[in-house]
Amino acid sequence: MELLGRPIDEPAVNARLDALVARNARASGGVMEVLNLIGTQAEGLLDRLPPEARTRIGTVTERALHHAAEAAHGTRASVPDLPGWRARFLTTAMGAAGGMGGLPTALAELPVTVTVLMRAIQDVAGDHGFDPSEPGVRFDSIAVFGSAGPLASDDGANLGLIGTRVTLTGAALRALIARVAPRLATVLGQKLAAQTVPVLGAAAGAATNYAYTRYYQDMAHVHFGLRRLAIDADRDMDEMVAAFRERADEGRITRG
């Protein structure tokens, strides 16, 4: 339940905003470290895939998101919330298995990985005090996949869909997935390409799954952390997102 107590003071708001900005800025770094570790450069990854695979990845991703929207939620009755490290361990194992057989098994693994990622995002929502069974929270869990992606350089783009609030109708869900799927397809295409690296298929699959799971968990913490902060501070969500963006922009200027 989203109960309001006494609003937190300005120093507390600023401290939590700064922590979320720092988490957002760190999120992509781990992915780049993993790619460098396995000897795969981010640039041109998608060019490694055969044309038919690049065409197919969009369809596979959209179907996986539709399935994951219900499947991940459906597991909550029988599978308890997973600690963040356990979700990463699970997707790491799946990535290794998917990479062993090359592109065909990697493609087959993708829908399962998307479902586990969705469940991990829902678990983060629960960590911030939200009920994953509520339509708005489930909608937001899908929206987290609309972040710019772990290889994107624009921190602000990660908030492109943050703060979305609509009822989870079939039409709204389809519209959201249509917006999210192309971004996620790019991310998953990069993952598939890494899994096709000769000899390192299984290792690359494990490493990229681990890094991408951590990335989307971080994005979920940013997303739902801002939503919780808006409630705790008794402020409008748009105002909180604007404050986040301002701090993220200042951080990019400082790092530049």
Side-chain angles (χ1 to χ4, degrees):
M1 294 182 65
E2 299 181 9
L3 296 178
L4 275 175
R6 183 177 179 179
I8 60 177
D9 59 21
E10 191 69 19
V13 171
N14 291 335
R16 284 168 62 175
L17 272 173
D18 288 340
L20 291 171
V21 168
R23 186 165 204 154
N24 187 70
R26 289 195 307 267
S28 296
V31 178
M32 297 304 299
E33 290 174 5
V34 166
L35 290 175
N36 290 333
L37 181 64
I38 63 176
T40 304
Q41 298 300 312
E43 295 80 7
L45 266 179
L46 291 176
D47 293 337
R48 292 176 179 268
L49 293 176
E52 61 272 18
R54 292 199 298 270
T55 301
R56 186 179 172 192
I57 187 65
T59 302
V60 171
T61 300
E62 190 160 347
R63 289 177 179 171
L65 279 173
H66 276 289
H67 174 76
E70 293 301 325
H73 174 69
T75 64
R76 307 196 67 82
S78 55
V79 181
D81 288 359
L82 297 175
W85 68 266
R86 191 169 296 176
R88 293 191 292 272
F89 176 83
L90 181 57
T91 57
T92 297
M94 291 190 303
M100 285 181 180
L103 190 57
T105 56
L107 274 168
E109 169 241 325
L110 278 188
V112 183
T113 294
V114 172
T115 300
V116 176
L117 287 175
M118 182 74 76
R119 174 59 195 271
I121 291 169
Q122 291 178 354
D123 288 346
V124 171
D127 291 343
H128 286 278
F130 299 104
D131 182 356
S133 68
E134 292 183 357
V137 176
R138 292 167 66 187
F139 193 95
D140 276 8
S141 296
I142 300 171
V144 168
F145 282 118
S147 60
L151 301 184
S153 59
D154 181 6
D155 293 342
N158 288 329
L159 299 188
L161 292 172
I162 212 164
T164 302
R165 295 290 177 274
V166 298
T167 303
L168 190 60
T169 63
L173 180 63
R174 288 191 295 272
L176 176 64
I177 289 177
R179 293 174 63 191
V180 168
R183 288 188 175 186
L184 183 58
T186 298
V187 173
L188 296 181
Q190 292 159 339
K191 175 183 119 63
L192 283 177
Q195 286 176 284
T196 64
V197 175
V199 182
L200 293 178
T208 53
N209 267 26
Y210 175 88
Y212 287 1
T213 302
R214 181 151 196 160
Y215 171 81
Y216 284 113
Q217 286 174 325
D218 282 338
M219 290 298 97
H221 276 291
V222 171
H223 190 112
F224 291 105
L226 277 172
R227 181 168 166 178
R228 171 51 56 189
L229 183 55
I231 293 169
D232 292 345
D234 193 21
R235 295 187 185 178
D236 183 77
M237 182 65 176
D238 290 338
E239 178 187 345
M240 201 58 64
V241 171
F244 179 98
R245 287 183 182 276
E246 182 178 350
R247 280 172 165 75
D249 288 340
E250 290 173 353
R252 284 198 299 275
I253 292 171
T254 301
R255 291 193 300 271

